[in-house]
Amino acid sequence: MFPGIPGYFYYISITLQVLCVLHCIRRGTQQKWIWLIVFLPYVGSIAYLFTEIIPRRNMGDWQAGLGSLFFSPRARIRRLEENLHFANTFNNRVLLANAYMLAGRTEEAIELYSTSLTGAFTENEYVINRLIAAYFKTERYPELIQLAKKIYHTPSFTRSEAHLLYARALDNTGDKEGAETEFRKMKGRFADFEARYQYGLFLQRAGRGSEAQAILEDIVKEGSHLSSRERRANYLWIQRSKEELRKVS
């Protein structure tokens, strides 16, 4: 579909993942599907698509289901705003917040995510993770750090995007020692390629070029041993590592 540009597979995967999460929250199936979609992005998203979207009674309904995912973002936001006005529920708030995030209306998303963390949903990990991403996007690092501490000891945090954003927020607020501690926790062999790439940049900024180079070289070497699916998923970080290495060669 995008000949010669494998990096698009990464963005397609992320987009499909977010859209499927949006759809399953609207349908009220989030407990069953969200974690599968988040932690197995390709498999989870495709399984959700064929299980929850495509099985319709007729083609018109199926097209409407896909249309609700991919088309008319402004109309979708207006519809979600109307839904929230009609029923101020947790699901409606989170769904609208996610739509705001996709549209770049991050501050509005933050307001909805924040006010959703009440009552039985105070510790909702999905919303906390989304709010952490929104805080990072708006450079509200102190608030991000405080929020990340709420889920720091949960099993899913270690390998999550929130963990990487937490490490980067520590770096951006001047806590270099704390940031390196977190980066090191994500530095295993064949571990999160994005996290290791960011750690390499962190070391470069600290003037530790030889250590940074070793990490970037490992990323490139390991990339050649990945399956085609894994290589597509990590293509962006492998390529960026190569670019950084070319700068110092």
Side-chain angles (χ1 to χ4, degrees):
M1 185 174 182
F2 299 98
I5 315 179
Y8 272 104
F9 285 109
Y10 172 80
Y11 296 107
I12 292 170
S13 171
I14 294 298
T15 301
L16 182 60
Q17 186 180 9
V18 170
L19 291 172
C20 285
V21 168
L22 288 176
H23 189 271
C24 75
I25 289 177
R26 180 168 62 84
R27 292 283 303 281
T29 57
Q30 69 270 26
Q31 295 301 321
K32 177 182 177 181
W33 284 105
I34 281 181
W35 294 115
L36 180 63
I37 294 168
V38 169
F39 290 107
L40 295 172
Y42 287 108
V43 176
S45 297
I46 291 172
Y48 183 81
L49 183 67
F50 281 90
T51 302
E52 299 291 330
I53 306 288
I54 290 179
R56 304 289 186 178
R57 292 178 180 272
N58 55 60
M59 182 61 70
D61 287 341
W62 175 75
Q63 290 173 334
L66 286 181
S68 71
L69 279 177
F70 293 105
F71 301 110
S72 303
R74 291 182 181 177
R76 176 176 174 77
I77 286 177
R78 285 197 299 271
R79 185 170 65 253
L80 292 173
E81 289 173 336
E82 291 170 0
N83 290 346
L84 180 59
H85 180 74
F86 178 76
N88 190 358
T89 65
F90 173 81
N91 284 356
N92 285 345
R93 297 180 75 80
V94 173
L95 187 59
L96 179 57
N98 286 342
Y100 281 155
M101 280 286 283
L102 285 173
R105 297 166 62 174
T106 313
E107 291 293 347
E108 292 169 276
I110 287 174
E111 173 65 20
L112 286 173
Y113 286 137
S114 299
T115 55
S116 296
L117 292 171
T118 59
F121 301 103
T122 302
E123 307 296 328
N124 187 277
E125 287 186 41
Y126 174 77
V127 175
I128 290 174
N129 276 274
R130 297 296 296 157
L131 184 52
I132 285 172
Y135 279 152
F136 188 86
K137 190 173 181 179
T138 54
E139 301 183 359
R140 292 167 64 169
Y141 303 126
E143 291 163 282
L144 186 160
I145 291 168
Q146 286 301 116
L147 185 61
K149 289 178 180 178
K150 293 183 64 174
I151 58 172
Y152 186 87
H153 296 291
T154 59
S156 60
F157 184 77
T158 302
R159 296 182 177 274
S160 69
E161 179 191 17
H163 191 187
L164 173 57
L165 297 181
Y166 175 59
R168 296 179 67 185
L170 291 173
D171 180 24
N172 289 332
T173 54
D175 186 357
K176 306 301 181 183
E177 183 177 348
E180 182 162 11
T181 296
E182 301 307 322
F183 277 124
R184 284 183 174 276
K185 291 178 181 179
M186 296 180 274
K187 186 184 165 289
R189 184 172 171 80
F190 288 99
D192 190 320
F193 281 68
E194 181 184 2
R196 293 158 67 200
Y197 169 77
Q198 294 294 344
Y199 185 28
L201 298 188
F202 171 84
L203 292 172
Q204 284 182 342
R205 291 192 296 270
R208 296 157 61 181
S210 59
E211 294 176 69
Q213 184 173 344
I215 289 176
L216 297 173
E217 287 176 348
D218 283 344
I219 291 173
V220 174
K221 290 176 183 176
E222 291 172 19
S224 63
H225 297 287
L226 298 176
S227 67
S228 58
R229 180 185 63 81
E230 292 170 329
R231 196 175 300 116
R232 287 194 299 268
N234 294 289
Y235 176 85
L236 179 64
W237 312 112
I238 295 169
Q239 290 302 115
R240 288 188 176 180
S241 296
K242 289 179 180 179
E243 292 170 7
E244 291 299 325
L245 290 170
R246 281 196 291 267
K247 292 178 183 179
V248 298
S249 61

